[in-house]
């Protein structure tokens, strides 16, 4: 979805260059140069964009729900780990980049959804994603958000990243997390409380072409992902007037459950052992969150998360 919008924005920029409005393209390039660091410095959100009526219909289409299980004290900063990535990451966008759901449930907290830095190099598109409250997923950007002395900031990171999108098959419960410990280190360095978030229904929005590990398709996808920085899952869903084939996601409910915070004491120089201990605790809390809520959202009792 993001790539389609980004391609449109890039195409529009090319039209400006090739057409009679090249001077506008030059002015924008100057602006891009001067504004290059903004995605790593809290972005530039717009309450007007986040409140567009279209987002209300977007949330109601699936529909998307945000479930609160515990209070989050706005005097602290938080790092929310979002799982799973899915193909569209609809739950993350609908709940954290549009108003008013999050601010009604968690007053005093400002959410920042971190996405791959590559998106902020796309002309015009970068302005849109920043206006929705998205910022870079770079270390500098996460540090900027979590370094707020007064608290009240919430970094949302899709832990599995682009690689996990390749596992986004209906019914899949496989999370790419065992080797992903950078978010743990960031939480320790800034004393940000960790909060596991699981979005039930995220993997049910599309059907993806079979790509088991070791297959030629998966090998090609993984190589492209390493080169470009984002995955290219081959997916389909429904059309506008028929349900057999198309690129419109299926109308499947999404329930994004926000777990209880894991208190984290600031440690500017955490050891590998300390990072591993907190990572293990996070996995334990994430699994507990899933187990407590899975039967409420259509997951069979015998199904469990798979960490890899």
């Amino acid at each position: 979805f993001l790539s389609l919008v980004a391609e449109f924005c890039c195409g529009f920029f090319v039209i400006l260059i090739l057409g009679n409005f090249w001077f506008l393209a030059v002015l924008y390039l100057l602006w891009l140069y001067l504004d290059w660091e903004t995605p790593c410095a809290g972005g530039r959100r717009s309450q007007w964009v986040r409140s567009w009526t279209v987002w209300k219909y977007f949330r109601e289409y699936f529909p998307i729900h945000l479930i609160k299980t515990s209070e989050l004290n706005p005097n602290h900063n938080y790092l929310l780990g979002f799982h799973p990535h899915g193909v569209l990451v609809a739950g993350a966008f609908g709940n954290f980049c549009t108003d008013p759901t999050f601010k009604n449930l968690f007053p005093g907290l400002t959410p920042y959804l971190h996405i791959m830095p590559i998106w902020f190099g796309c002309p015009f598109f970068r302005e849109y994603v920043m206006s929705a409250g998205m910022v870079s997923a770079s270390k500098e950007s996460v540090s900027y958000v979590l370094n707020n002395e007064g608290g009240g900031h919430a970094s949302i990171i899709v832990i599995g990243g682009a690689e996990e999108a390749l596992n986004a098959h209906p019914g899949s419960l496989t999370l790419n997390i065992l080797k992903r410990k950078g978010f743990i280190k960031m939480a320790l360095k800034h004393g940000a409380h960790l909060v596991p978030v699981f979005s039930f229904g995220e993997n049910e929005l599309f059907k993806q072409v079979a790509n088991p590990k070791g297959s030629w398709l998966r090998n090609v996808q993984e190589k492209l992902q390493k080169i470009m920085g984002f995955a290219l899952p081959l997916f389909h869903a429904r059309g506008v007037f028929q349900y057999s084939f198309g690129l419109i996601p299926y109308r499947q409910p999404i329930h994004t459950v926000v777990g209880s915070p894991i208190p984290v004491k600031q440690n500017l120089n955490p050891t590998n052992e300390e990072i591993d201990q907190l990572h293990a605790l996070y996995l334990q809390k994430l699994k507990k969150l899933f187990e407590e809520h899975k039967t409420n959202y259509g997951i069979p009792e015998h199904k469990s998360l798979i960490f890899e």
Side-chain angles (χ1 to χ4, degrees):
F1 176 73
L2 283 178
S3 61
L4 289 175
V5 179
E7 287 175 9
F8 173 81
C9 292
C10 288
F12 179 70
F13 184 71
V14 171
I15 291 174
L16 288 182
I17 295 177
L18 298 179
N20 296 323
F21 302 98
W22 59 267
F23 61 94
L24 293 178
V26 172
L27 288 176
Y28 184 80
L29 287 175
L30 176 60
W31 163 255
L32 194 63
Y33 173 77
L34 296 173
D35 194 58
W36 190 254
E37 297 299 324
T38 301
C40 294
R44 186 171 46 250
R45 70 180 53 226
S46 166
Q47 194 61 40
W48 175 66
V49 172
R50 289 173 59 88
S51 301
W52 281 351
T53 303
V54 67
W55 304 137
K56 175 178 178 290
Y57 295 116
F58 174 80
R59 294 191 301 268
E60 292 178 350
Y61 171 81
F62 298 97
I64 296 175
H65 305 279
L66 187 65
I67 291 86
K68 174 182 179 180
T69 65
S70 178
E71 294 292 338
L72 298 183
N73 189 332
N75 293 325
H76 299 295
N77 293 316
Y78 297 89
L79 195 159
L80 279 63
F82 184 92
H83 313 270
H85 184 287
V87 171
L88 189 62
V89 205
F93 177 82
N95 287 310
F96 305 121
C97 296
T98 69
D99 286 331
T101 307
F102 184 86
K103 70 178 183 181
N104 286 346
L105 287 179
F106 301 101
L109 283 182
T110 302
Y112 295 82
L113 179 61
H114 296 271
I115 63 175
M116 292 182 296
I118 189 175
W119 297 119
F120 296 99
C122 180
F124 301 117
F125 179 72
R126 68 188 298 274
E127 318 303 335
Y128 159 67
V129 292
M130 278 197 290
S131 67
M134 288 179 255
V135 292
S136 173
S138 66
K139 292 180 181 179
E140 296 78 11
S141 178
V142 177
S143 292
Y144 185 94
V145 173
L146 297 181
N147 206 31
N148 188 40
E149 293 184 1
H153 282 188
S155 280
I156 298 96
I157 301 178
V158 184
I159 305 300
E163 184 181 357
E164 195 173 84
L166 300 178
N167 290 329
H169 296 272
S172 174
L173 296 173
T174 300
L175 303 181
N176 293 68
I177 192 172
L178 291 181
K179 296 181 180 180
R180 296 178 181 265
K181 301 179 182 180
F183 73 104
I184 298 292
K185 187 175 182 179
M186 295 300 294
L188 281 167
K189 292 184 70 172
H190 295 282
H193 295 351
L194 280 167
V195 183
V197 178
F198 195 87
S199 194
F200 292 90
E202 199 74 44
N203 283 340
E204 319 306 316
L205 306 184
F206 296 93
K207 292 179 180 178
Q208 189 173 166
V209 174
N211 60 341
K213 287 197 171 183
S215 65
W216 70 269
L217 176 58
R218 185 61 167 256
N219 291 336
V220 170
Q221 289 175 320
E222 290 176 347
K223 288 180 180 178
L224 289 175
Q225 187 261 320
K226 291 179 181 179
I227 295 173
M228 299 184 297
F230 57 89
L232 291 173
L234 299 179
F235 60 89
H236 66 89
R238 53 162 291 186
V240 178
F241 301 111
Q242 45 79 27
Y243 294 86
S244 58
F245 188 82
L247 295 179
I248 299 176
Y250 293 115
R251 297 192 69 177
Q252 296 289 339
I254 298 173
H255 295 88
T256 304
V257 183
V258 180
S260 301
I262 303 170
V264 177
K265 185 177 181 181
Q266 187 173 26
N267 184 348
L268 295 178
N269 295 292
T271 64
N272 289 335
E273 182 180 359
E274 290 169 330
I275 293 173
D276 289 342
Q277 288 177 348
L278 184 55
H279 186 261
L281 177 60
Y282 179 86
L283 294 183
Q284 177 186 331
K285 295 295 185 181
L286 173 59
K287 186 174 182 179
K288 180 182 178 183
L289 177 70
F290 174 82
E291 293 294 331
E292 289 178 346
H293 295 274
K294 66 181 182 181
T295 55
N296 296 333
Y297 306 117
I299 307 295
E301 184 65 40
H302 68 278
K303 292 278 190 176
S304 297
L305 292 178
I306 301 173
F307 297 145
E308 65 174 31

